[in-house]
Amino acid sequence: MKKNWLIPALAMLLISTACSQKEITSQNTESNKVPVTVAEVSKQSISDTIELVGLAVPETQVPLLTTSPLTVEDVHVKIGDIVKKGDLIVSLDSEAALEQVSQAQQAVTELENALSKMQEMQKTAENQASLSDIPKLQEELNQSLEKSQALLNGVDTGAVTSLDLLQSTMDVMVKQAQLANAASQAQQIPTFNTTELEMSLTQARQSLKQAEQMADATTITSPIDGIISELNVVKDGIATPNVPIGTVIQLEEIAATFQVNSYQVSKLKSGQRATISFEGVTETFQSKIESVSPTVNPQTNMFSVTVPVSNSELGIKGGMRATAFVEVENMESQTVVPMNAILYEEDVAYVFVIEKGKAKRQQVTTGFRDKEFMQIVDGLKQGQKVAVNGKERLKDGIEITEQSE
């Protein structure tokens, strides 16, 4: 009798153990599932205000350059200093440049002296030739010829003696000889060719100007009133032509610059109102879109949008993160998901689609967004479910447990 009751007891114990193991296994399986809240991909209207994210860029930025590699003698400012136009920024080694100026100046002086001497010699030779006497001698010869002709006319009347005629003839011969001598001297005047000397002087003056410009370039001054935003040299270092010595900016006017995709740019145009905010600045700014790039940047495959912002208090700094809410058309019946369903990896947007209790990673192309929803241009269909809260813990293919919000 004792053995009869033992068999049913053992059977009950085995059944109980099997059930308990099944429950434990089930509990372990459930605990491995990631709890998430889900949302359905739907068709909704996107608000007429879209959000853009970009950077604050000073509208005026002037790089400071050198034309040749030179040693830095001194740096007179530091980053953040306020400077006026003409203020000294950097001094470069000027010894070689000043030596070139001295040599070029000496060449100009020597050529100027040589040209002056040659011109003076030309003038002296012309004066010695007595060119001014030729017209006078010609007039005197004409008078003598007229007198001689008159005497010849009086020979027949006996009023003119042969002695008078001889004296008149001798006078004509003397005047002719004087005129011939003066003309001969004029033909023998030496000619001085100054053309080549004048060309050399012009070239020397150009070389002097270039040398002076190089000497001036060793003193780097600010071309505008502004702020030093960048310095790329140190004392005793080398300033090179291919790298700016520094940059001077003006912060009074800021360009909020945004990069947008082809879907966004189709809805943006100049003149649209925008509300701009900057990270770290409590004030918001009202402005309008100034420009929308008509062509895509081939490196980024994005379009540039610029919104000017007045910065009279200089609270906005270059490089600050800028956010713009731009008023655009209201778009009806767009495929959307909640904003917080979107994840990014290296600027590529993706979501986790929930299918049969598992998460599936799905890359998507996004469009416009408002404060609540993101437009999905490609990658999802209406009615699909996507993970929202808890999406960060998901991996492709992992099992999930749906939870209510």
Side-chain angles (χ1 to χ4, degrees):
M1 288 294 295
K2 290 182 179 180
K3 290 183 179 181
N4 290 339
W5 68 264
L6 183 58
I7 292 173
L10 290 172
M12 290 296 295
L13 180 60
L14 290 173
I15 293 171
S16 175
T17 301
C19 291
S20 176
Q21 288 177 345
K22 186 176 180 180
E23 289 175 1
I24 292 172
T25 301
S26 177
Q27 288 174 0
N28 288 339
T29 301
E30 289 297 321
S31 64
N32 289 333
K33 294 181 179 180
V34 178
V36 294
T37 60
V38 299
E40 189 173 298
V41 180
S42 61
K43 293 279 189 179
Q44 294 192 31
S45 297
I46 295 289
S47 171
D48 60 354
T49 299
I50 64 169
E51 182 181 1
L52 305 177
V53 177
L55 294 174
V57 179
E59 284 200 348
T60 302
Q61 302 184 74
V62 183
L64 306 175
L65 304 170
T66 179
T67 56
S68 57
L70 294 171
T71 301
V72 179
E73 289 187 342
D74 203 359
V75 179
H76 303 278
V77 296
K78 61 182 182 297
I79 293 176
D81 282 356
I82 297 174
V83 295
K84 296 290 185 182
K85 181 178 181 179
D87 283 357
L88 183 60
I89 307 299
V90 173
S91 298
L92 302 176
D93 181 16
S94 60
E95 183 177 353
L98 293 176
E99 178 63 25
Q100 289 184 2
V101 171
S102 177
Q103 293 176 0
Q105 182 63 66
Q106 185 177 354
V108 169
T109 301
E110 290 178 355
L111 287 168
E112 286 176 341
N113 290 338
L115 181 60
S116 178
K117 288 179 180 179
M118 188 173 288
Q119 291 172 340
E120 185 177 347
M121 290 171 63
Q122 179 78 29
K123 185 175 181 181
T124 300
E126 291 173 354
N127 290 338
Q128 289 176 349
S130 303
L131 292 176
S132 61
D133 292 341
I134 292 179
K136 181 182 178 181
L137 292 172
Q138 182 66 55
E139 179 64 25
E140 290 177 353
L141 175 59
N142 291 338
Q143 291 175 357
S144 295
L145 288 171
E146 290 174 358
K147 182 180 179 181
S148 180
Q149 184 63 43
L151 289 174
L152 287 173
N153 292 336
V155 170
D156 295 337
T157 62
V160 177
T161 64
S162 58
L163 181 60
D164 292 334
L165 187 60
L166 179 61
Q167 289 177 340
S168 176
T169 302
M170 291 296 295
D171 186 59
V172 169
M173 293 176 64
V174 170
K175 297 299 184 185
Q176 286 178 333
Q178 290 176 337
L179 180 60
N181 183 56
S184 176
Q185 290 182 357
Q187 292 176 355
Q188 296 176 7
I189 296 174
T191 301
F192 297 91
N193 187 0
T194 61
T195 302
E196 186 175 347
L197 195 58
E198 290 171 345
M199 291 176 60
S200 297
L201 179 57
T202 300
Q203 292 176 351
R205 285 172 174 164
Q206 290 176 346
S207 297
L208 175 60
K209 184 177 181 180
Q210 291 174 353
E212 290 174 339
Q213 289 174 342
M214 288 186 64
D216 291 340
T218 62
T219 302
I220 308 299
T221 60
S222 177
I224 58 172
D225 294 347
I227 301 172
I228 303 296
S229 67
E230 181 183 28
L231 282 173
N232 298 317
V233 295
V234 294
K235 186 176 180 180
D236 298 328
I238 300 295
T240 58
N242 57 336
V243 177
I245 290 173
T247 304
V248 184
I249 65 171
Q250 292 178 338
L251 288 176
E252 287 79 7
E253 295 295 330
I254 292 292
T257 305
F258 307 92
Q259 303 301 315
V260 301
N261 60 36
S262 56
Y263 303 102
Q264 293 170 320
V265 78
S266 64
K267 297 295 181 180
L268 299 172
K269 59 184 178 181
S270 298
Q272 288 176 324
R273 297 181 181 277
T275 300
I276 315 293
S277 62
F278 298 91
E279 192 172 48
V281 179
T282 57
E283 182 182 0
T284 58
F285 303 84
Q286 301 299 319
S287 187
K288 294 181 179 180
I289 292 179
E290 181 179 67
S291 64
V292 178
S293 174
T295 56
V296 70
N297 184 320
Q299 278 73 42
T300 64
N301 203 34
M302 303 288 274
F303 296 83
S304 179
V305 177
T306 303
V307 182
V309 178
S310 178
N311 187 32
S312 57
E313 299 298 323
L314 306 184
I316 306 170
K317 309 301 181 184
M320 280 186 170
R321 178 186 173 93
T323 303
F325 290 95
V326 183
E327 297 180 7
V328 297
E329 299 176 9
N330 189 44
M331 295 180 294
E332 301 289 341
S333 189
Q334 300 297 313
T335 301
V336 300
V337 296
M339 278 290 301
N340 54 355
I342 305 293
L343 291 164
Y344 294 91
E345 183 175 356
E346 296 182 353
D347 296 329
V348 176
Y350 66 95
V351 297
F352 280 103
V353 177
I354 306 304
E355 294 180 354
K356 299 179 180 180
K358 292 184 178 181
K360 177 185 177 183
R361 176 167 170 158
Q362 176 65 50
Q363 184 175 322
V364 295
T365 302
T366 60
F368 290 111
R369 63 179 179 179
D370 57 19
K371 294 181 180 180
E372 188 175 357
F373 294 102
M374 173 72 80
Q375 178 192 17
I376 302 299
V377 178
D378 187 39
L380 293 176
K381 296 181 180 180
Q382 183 179 2
Q384 287 183 296
K385 290 183 177 182
V386 294
V388 183
N389 296 327
K391 63 185 180 298
E392 295 84 2
R393 299 172 56 194
L394 297 179
K395 295 181 180 180
D396 197 22
I398 197 170
E399 293 185 340
I400 64 97
T401 300
E402 292 189 25
Q403 291 187 335
S404 58
E405 296 186 7

